[in-house]
Amino acid sequence: MKMTLDAWGRSVDGQLIDRDGSAGAQCWDLWADYAERAVGVPIGWTYTVNRPGHPDHFLASSMFLFFPTPRVGDLSQYFVRVGRHEPAQAGDVAVWARSWSYPDTHIAVATGPAVDGMLPCWTQNPGATRHESLTTAGLLGYLRPIALIKPAASLAPKRRKQAQMFMVFYKHGNGPGKPGWLVMGTPRRLVLSSQAAADDIARQLGIGSSFVTNESGWAKFLRAAGPA
């Protein structure tokens, strides 16, 4: 991360953020500002997706629906897509579909998990940027910065640590834009699809080490892990 969430939030609080100089301070502008200044995404990669004929053409929801490819770059280099049933983490980009609350969809930056159906966020439009809890009704899910994904091993109790067991993370482990956590040292191959599941397995098995790999490394670990 180029900037912490707290530092970025302080820098935009009360401001009308208009990154493209078009149509005023929209929710997209706040997402673009966060992606560029805090996460390090090239600003051109943050533009909404051009899909003529699709109802979400050029809307904020297109960032989630058509992830990982916006108009210019590959957002999977910076984010993974997370479903709405997973708890939000501070720094996640929350995306809403068309709904009663957001007829033209919405995008905001979460600062923690939802409580009683309300998600704390930095949000803009209507009005200037502010910290506010937004309804999860109509929520599609989140774009989670890869830089903020925590190693599951940090949650493992040392007293139950098992030798030769560790976990490998790859951002496309379950397909393009779908993260995977591979548990090494189990009798059969075990690939998990969510941070919550990885954390839970780490606690149960006492896994004491975890690291991030790339495509070629992931393929090698899969072969070493044996049959599914």
Side-chain angles (χ1 to χ4, degrees):
M1 297 286 285
K2 293 177 61 179
M3 181 185 294
T4 67
L5 177 62
D6 287 344
W8 175 80
R10 289 193 298 271
S11 74
V12 296
D13 191 13
Q15 304 298 310
L16 289 167
I17 307 299
D18 184 5
R19 291 305 305 266
D20 62 355
S22 174
Q26 304 178 81
C27 64
W28 171 87
D29 293 280
L30 191 65
W31 133 257
D33 191 82
Y34 173 70
E36 184 195 37
R37 295 177 56 227
V39 183
V41 181
I43 189 71
W45 294 22
T46 66
Y47 285 91
T48 50
V49 181
N50 179 4
R51 291 290 174 91
H54 193 281
D56 291 82
H57 171 67
F58 280 148
L59 294 180
S61 55
S62 67
M63 304 308 300
F64 184 89
L65 295 173
F66 303 120
F67 181 85
T69 306
R71 275 190 268 176
V72 179
D74 178 6
L75 286 178
S76 68
Q77 294 184 37
Y78 296 91
F79 297 92
V80 295
R81 188 168 65 173
V82 178
R84 63 188 178 89
H85 297 298
E86 283 236 16
Q89 295 182 7
D92 284 355
V93 177
V95 187
W96 282 261
R98 293 173 182 269
S99 63
W100 181 85
S101 299
Y102 302 112
D104 293 317
T105 78
H106 192 59
I107 191 166
V109 180
T111 58
V115 177
D116 296 330
M118 301 299 290
L119 183 68
C121 293
W122 285 108
T123 184
Q124 173 177 272
N125 189 23
T129 302
R130 63 203 176 277
H131 191 259
E132 182 178 326
S133 290
L134 307 178
T135 179
T136 55
L139 185 67
L140 288 169
Y142 313 97
L143 302 183
R144 178 163 296 161
I146 292 171
L148 296 181
I149 294 176
K150 299 177 294 183
S154 64
L155 301 173
K158 292 184 178 179
R159 67 181 184 277
R160 297 186 60 204
K161 180 178 178 180
Q162 306 214 11
Q164 308 303 319
M165 295 192 73
F166 60 96
M167 195 173 294
V168 181
F169 171 78
Y170 175 47
K171 63 184 179 181
H172 302 306
N174 284 298
K178 299 177 181 179
W181 289 259
L182 173 63
V183 182
M184 299 297 295
T186 54
R188 298 187 69 83
R189 182 191 303 173
L190 177 60
V191 180
L192 308 170
S193 60
S194 72
Q195 180 80 61
D199 290 346
D200 186 55
I201 289 295
R203 290 190 187 97
Q204 292 182 47
L205 301 181
I207 295 174
S209 60
S210 176
F211 61 93
V212 177
T213 189
N214 55 21
E215 182 177 6
S216 61
W218 182 257
K220 292 176 182 177
F221 281 116
L222 285 177
R223 289 194 295 269

